Amino acid sequence: MNLRLWNPERARRSRSGMPAALLLALPLTAGFAGAESAAIRARQGMVVSQSAIASEVGAQVLRDGGNAVDAAVATAFAMAVTHPTAGNIGGGGFLVWRPASGEPLAYDFREKAPAAAHPEMWLDENGEYSFQIHHLSHKAVGVPGTVAGLRLAWEEQGTMPWERLVRPAVELARDGFPISHGLAGSLARVLERMAPYPASVAQFSKDGTPYGPGEVLRQPDLAGSLERILENGTAGFYEGETAELLAAEMAANDGLITLEDLKNYRAVVREPIRGEYRGYEILSMPPPSSGGTAMVQMLNILEGYDIARNGFGSAANMHLMAEAMRRAYADRALHLGDPDFNPGIPIDRLTSKAYAEDLRATIDPERASVSSPSSFEWNTEGSETTHFSVVDKDRNAVSLTYTLEFGYGSGIVVPGAGFLLNNEMGDFNGAPGLTNERGLIGTDPNLAEPNKRMLSSMSPTIVARDGELFMVTGTPGGRTIINTVMQTIMNVVDHGMNAQEAVDAGRMHHQWLPDQIRYEKQMFSPDTLSILEAYGHRLSETEAQGAAEVIVVLRDEGVLEGGVDRRRPDGGAAVHDEDPSGN
């Protein structure tokens, strides 16, 4: 592969704000290298997700007169069939809703700990922390929230019949769909981890033989579970046959979830985190997501610098961004958790301009700070989440991120029910007071407790300008989520990129500890990296970060722009109608 790398220290910038000489490339997707950065455009509505099939399901809802929540519900259920690595009914997530008129809302359907959970549940018989129990056992499964969250959002904001929105997913599961190259490879890789679970192997292979591209994946048990949700709403999942099958799987394998835990689960409506960045209003998720709080804090810090003048990918900007990230992630670890169990979270202070000014004063413009490993850390959060963005003809918008935690979650398919279970309990801290070199910590805000929601980094976000919708964005990526979402916003606001350029541009990440900047391979100039090292930063290369799905509203043209992340296969945008200009 012949790459021309842009050097931000001496390159000229194009009118759009992207470097004219930059050739973007990622080895994960062969079609990404040198790919066009023209954004997909539409006049009326758009859905952008990691599953082209699911995007089309959602777009058809928009064409049939549904609003953004209707399309989001249909897309989410379809992704539970077509994107099993993260699409789900056995996991949980967050939805930010911004209506064209009225107040925005945040729907929290994060998983909850079962009633039998306790802070020391991840210790083995010798009192030692066990990664196996914490992440790879039936005890790692949290009470799923997706079905309750989608149903609640639909009850409050939807306009189309529930049956119309769930039916496409039932048909995709029952009749099947052709397996893409990307999904075939993913299923082949996960089979070894699924080997202890016969129902998982039966669902996602041919008697242990991997599916090949183009073969049809049918999931009849999943279709049955979706049919019960279609007919009975939340009761079709949290009670009756599906609930009994899930509870039986738990009881037979030392899991904790009971029928009572399922029946008692409720999604919650919360007030979004609000911030302002250079005149743009930021709306994102509040705790138990750390995303909105940390992102607003970082943007407040960075607002004090001339990011546009420094230039995208410059050492000056990457240094300042790393320092803002370092400080926000430190506060994340100290303060954030489930607000129902931590009523004193200082959100107003963390997201204030005054606090950002104080933090900005601690940043040396040419010298890296030092993160102390003796202070605190946080758990590993799985990167196999998924995100999609929806805008309808009236400019109502939904930003939705949901997950199973690891790719394919726990790897456990509920026998007879056909859906994968999450392993989200791994997002709780390991044990009270526990700290080790892997970053486990025992601070109180995020210890496991009965009915508590675990801390998350998921950051579905909507941006407005002058009271009108401007941008919908979000991404998977575990702890990198917050930083990736922030960078998509900065790429548009500071660097003038279109939606696709904003998604394609190289990404970086700092999370306080480990004390290093992670950057995407082949995306930044060697000169830039050398300057960062001279500033005292430790650098770590990664193949790819996140999979952002972005919609930008061009108000003057009356057009939506879509950006699909090509770092991961199978994503796509589907539109209500194409922009007749052909752009």
Side-chain angles (χ1 to χ4, degrees), residues 524-543:
F524 297 98
S525 149
D527 290 353
T528 294
L529 301 178
S530 294
I531 292 172
L532 290 171
E533 289 181 323
Y535 284 177
H537 289 288
R538 291 164 48 200
L539 305 181
S540 174
E541 189 176 76
T542 186
E543 289 291 328

Side-chain angles (χ1 to χ4, degrees), residues 23 45 74 113 121 207 212 227 234 240 252 267 285 289 311 320 347 352 355 405 421 439 454 502 532 552 554 560:
L23 181 63
M121 62 184 293
D207 296 324
E227 187 79 51
T234 52
M285 278 305 303
S289 170
L320 295 172
I347 297 294
S352 71
Y355 183 55
E405 179 67 351
L421 294 171
M454 57 291 294
L532 290 171
V552 174
L554 304 182
L560 304 174

Side-chain angles (χ1 to χ4, degrees), residues 93-97 105-107 109 272-273 282-286 289-292 295 385-389 398-402 456-463 471-476 481-482 485 489 549:
F94 304 106
L95 184 158
V96 176
W97 158 249
L105 296 171
Y107 289 88
F109 51 99
I273 292 290
I282 309 297
L283 299 169
S284 193
M285 278 305 303
S289 170
S290 60
M295 181 164 45
T385 301
T386 190
H387 174 86
F388 59 87
S389 299
V398 166
S399 183
L400 189 154
T401 311
Y402 69 157
S456 173
S457 295
M458 290 183 280
S459 309
T461 299
I462 297 175
V463 182
M471 184 177 181
V472 186
T473 181
T475 185
I481 287 174
I482 309 167
V485 174
I489 295 170
E549 312 296 345

Side-chain angles (χ1 to χ4, degrees), residues 459-581:
S459 309
T461 299
I462 297 175
V463 182
R465 180 71 184 268
D466 300 327
E468 296 187 20
L469 180 66
F470 176 73
M471 184 177 181
V472 186
T473 181
T475 185
R479 287 169 292 175
T480 70
I481 287 174
I482 309 167
N483 292 334
T484 296
V485 174
M486 181 182 74
Q487 287 168 82
T488 64
I489 295 170
M490 294 175 69
N491 288 345
V492 175
V493 171
D494 289 308
H495 302 302
M497 300 183 193
N498 69 33
Q500 191 60 56
E501 290 171 333
V503 169
D504 288 347
R507 297 169 185 157
M508 58 161 288
H509 174 72
H510 199 299
Q511 60 180 43
W512 176 253
L513 292 170
D515 190 356
Q516 63 184 20
I517 293 175
R518 286 173 53 191
Y519 65 92
E520 289 187 313
K521 183 179 181 180
Q522 298 178 324
M523 293 301 232
F524 297 98
S525 149
D527 290 353
T528 294
L529 301 178
S530 294
I531 292 172
L532 290 171
E533 289 181 323
Y535 284 177
H537 289 288
R538 291 164 48 200
L539 305 181
S540 174
E541 189 176 76
T542 186
E543 289 291 328
Q545 177 177 313
E549 312 296 345
V550 170
I551 299 174
V552 174
V553 181
L554 304 182
R555 187 191 313 174
D556 293 343
E557 300 179 49
V559 168
L560 304 174
E561 280 188 346
V564 180
D565 206 320
R566 294 169 280 192
R567 288 166 175 81
R568 301 188 187 185
D570 301 337
V575 302
H576 183 163
D577 68 327
E578 292 188 27
D579 174 16
S581 70

